[in-house]
């Protein structure tokens, strides 16, 4: 191993979104506000689903699971960033960086699988309404969430173990506000061919697979809706998918935006700014999308927040 390599490197420097001192306070306030809104909004969704018996159906069970994952995903990234800004210390330990990559991959993958599971739920509800309660029984719902979690864990562990095999230069700066897998492999001093191959294959399988499932489900849903004779019936059927479609579009468009911005500009700064969308903005907007577009969720949230007044 040549000079300048250190497999036991103690830590990295997270350069963040800006090096300008005058920008640190606005960035801190901006991300703290979004993080609190994300946690509070998703907790409200979980509370509404768990306390309202009208929402004890598969569709909302998956929604509550998605809200839980969004909280975990954002909490893996943003608190460390806020601490670094507050303490004016950009250092993250080697162990902390690997852990952040491991958990961010876990929750991002789980989020992706849950969106596919929710698409399947809508497919069964619209295309096979008479058999919905039989097909989407509690055992299958729990199994789908469990399998999604297991697949995400396996991918996360594989990528993390592969990353542990790499050597890094003794002083490494990460041009990002969190430890991101692709950026880390680019900074390695050792050969990353195997890592890049594993990343590419896992992305195709674990991102392309759920997306293909979502597209297939909605192709069947659209075909089924088109056969409904009344306009009101078509609207009612499609309205049950509107919130999920919005969340799926937001998730995939923001993730795609990160990779397109990186490929088009080769700028780490552009990739960093684009990453804000899927790490912070998307989890924050999901509760608003569902609460604004779904009457059952709106009524449940009103009962949660003003229950004592509405009951009196």
């Amino acid at each position: 191993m040549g000079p300048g390599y250190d497999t036991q490197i103690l830590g990295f420097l997270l350069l963040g979104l800006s090096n300008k001192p005058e920008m640190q306070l606005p960035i801190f306030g901006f991300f703290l506000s979004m993080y609190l809104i994300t946690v509070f909004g998703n907790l409200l969704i979980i509370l509404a689903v768990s306390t309202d018996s009208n929402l004890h159906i598969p569709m909302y069970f998956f929604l509550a699971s998605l809200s839980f994952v969004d909280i975990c995903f954002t909490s893996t990234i943003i608190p460390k960033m806020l601490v670094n800004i507050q303490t004016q210390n950009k250092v993250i330990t080697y162990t902390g960086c690997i852990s952040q990559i491991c958990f961010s991959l876990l929750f991002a993958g789980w989020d992706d699988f849950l969106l596919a599971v929710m698409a399947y739920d809508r497919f069964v509800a619209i295309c096979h309404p008479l058999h919905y309660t039989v097909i989407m029984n509690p055992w299958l719902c729990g199994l789908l969430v469990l399998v999604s979690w297991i697949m995400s864990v396996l991918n996360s562990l594989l990528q993390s173990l592969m990353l542990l095999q790499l050597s890094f230069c003794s002083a490494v700066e990460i041009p990002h506000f969190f430890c991101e897998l692709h950026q880390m492999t680019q900074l390695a001093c050792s050969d990353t061919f195997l890592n890049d191959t594993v990343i590419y294959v896992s992305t195709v399988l674990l991102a392309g697979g759920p997306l293909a499932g979502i597209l297939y489900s909605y192709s069947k849903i659209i075909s089924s809706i088109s056969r409904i004779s009344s306009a009101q019936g078509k609207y009612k059927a499609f309205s049950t998918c509107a919130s999920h479609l919005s969340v799926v579009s937001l998730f995939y468009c923001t993730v795609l935006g990160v990779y397109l911005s990186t490929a088009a500009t080769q700028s780490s700064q552009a990739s960093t700014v684009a990453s804000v969308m899927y790490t912070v903005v998307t989890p924050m907007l999901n509760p608003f999308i569902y609460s604004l577009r779904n009457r059952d969720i709106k009524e449940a949230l009103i009962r949660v927040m003003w229950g004592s007044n509405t009951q009196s």
Side-chain angles (χ1 to χ4, degrees):
M1 185 177 295
Y5 292 170
D6 185 8
T7 55
Q8 301 300 321
I9 188 169
L10 296 178
F12 303 94
L13 289 178
L14 290 172
L15 299 184
L17 292 170
S18 174
N19 290 323
K20 298 178 181 179
E22 66 273 12
M23 291 298 298
Q24 300 308 305
L25 185 58
I27 290 174
F28 180 86
F30 180 66
F31 277 88
L32 177 60
S33 301
M34 289 200 297
Y35 178 65
L36 293 177
I37 292 171
T38 299
V39 173
F40 181 70
N42 283 290
L43 279 177
L44 276 179
I45 294 290
I46 295 172
L47 186 61
V49 172
S50 60
T51 58
D52 194 319
S53 58
N54 294 324
L55 303 183
H56 291 176
I57 58 176
M59 173 181 170
Y60 298 115
F61 167 69
F62 296 134
L63 174 59
S65 301
L66 184 70
S67 293
F68 170 75
V69 173
D70 281 342
I71 292 173
C72 295
F73 179 48
T74 308
S75 298
T76 301
I77 297 169
I78 303 304
K80 177 58 181 175
M81 176 190 180
L82 296 175
V83 169
N84 284 4
I85 295 175
Q86 182 64 26
T87 60
Q88 298 183 0
N89 183 0
K90 298 181 178 181
V91 175
I92 183 171
T93 64
Y94 177 79
T95 303
C97 196
I98 298 297
S99 299
Q100 192 174 68
I101 289 175
C102 180
F103 284 107
S104 62
L105 285 173
L106 166 62
F107 294 120
W110 199 1
D111 206 322
D112 190 21
F113 279 113
L114 282 175
L115 290 176
V117 168
M118 294 170 78
Y120 175 71
D121 172 71
R122 292 299 82 208
F123 159 72
V124 176
I126 293 174
C127 299
H128 306 283
L130 299 180
H131 301 95
Y132 178 73
T133 55
V134 176
I135 297 174
M136 300 303 296
N137 57 75
W139 183 86
L140 179 62
C141 293
L143 181 64
L144 289 172
V145 173
L146 178 61
V147 170
S148 300
W149 178 76
I150 291 173
M151 295 291 290
S152 303
V153 167
L154 292 176
N155 175 61
S156 174
L157 287 176
L158 174 62
Q159 301 287 3
S160 301
L161 290 173
M162 293 289 296
L163 193 61
L164 287 171
Q165 307 305 311
L166 297 179
S167 301
F168 295 91
C169 298
S170 55
V172 177
E173 293 182 343
I174 302 175
H176 218 299
F177 60 92
F178 71 101
C179 293
E180 197 264 338
L181 179 63
H182 183 65
Q183 296 252 356
M184 288 290 292
T185 55
Q186 287 184 325
L187 293 173
C189 296
S190 53
D191 181 48
T192 62
F193 174 76
L194 185 58
N195 294 72
D196 292 334
T197 302
V198 171
I199 291 172
Y200 176 78
V201 172
S202 64
T203 300
V204 171
L205 294 178
L206 301 183
L211 179 59
I214 291 170
L215 293 176
Y216 175 79
S217 295
Y218 274 102
S219 68
K220 293 296 184 180
I221 288 171
I222 293 172
S223 175
S224 181
I225 290 176
S226 65
R227 292 196 295 268
I228 299 176
S229 56
S230 68
Q232 184 179 1
K234 290 182 179 179
Y235 174 79
K236 185 177 180 181
F238 184 77
S239 64
T240 64
C241 304
S243 299
H244 179 256
L245 267 178
S246 301
V247 170
V248 167
S249 301
L250 186 62
F251 178 83
Y252 278 101
C253 287
T254 52
V255 171
L256 189 61
V258 172
Y259 291 100
L260 287 180
S261 65
T262 304
T265 64
Q266 294 298 318
S267 168
S268 59
Q269 185 65 23
S271 174
T272 301
V273 173
S275 296
V276 174
M277 290 299 295
Y278 83 90
T279 57
V280 186
V281 176
T282 300
M284 181 185 71
L285 291 181
N286 285 354
F288 291 99
I289 292 173
Y290 272 96
S291 60
L292 292 175
R293 285 185 161 275
N294 191 296
R295 187 181 65 183
D296 294 335
I297 288 290
K298 280 193 286 189
E299 292 175 352
L301 288 174
I302 292 172
R303 285 193 289 270
V304 167
M305 292 186 290
W306 311 105
S308 58
N309 294 332
T310 55
Q311 290 173 3
S312 58

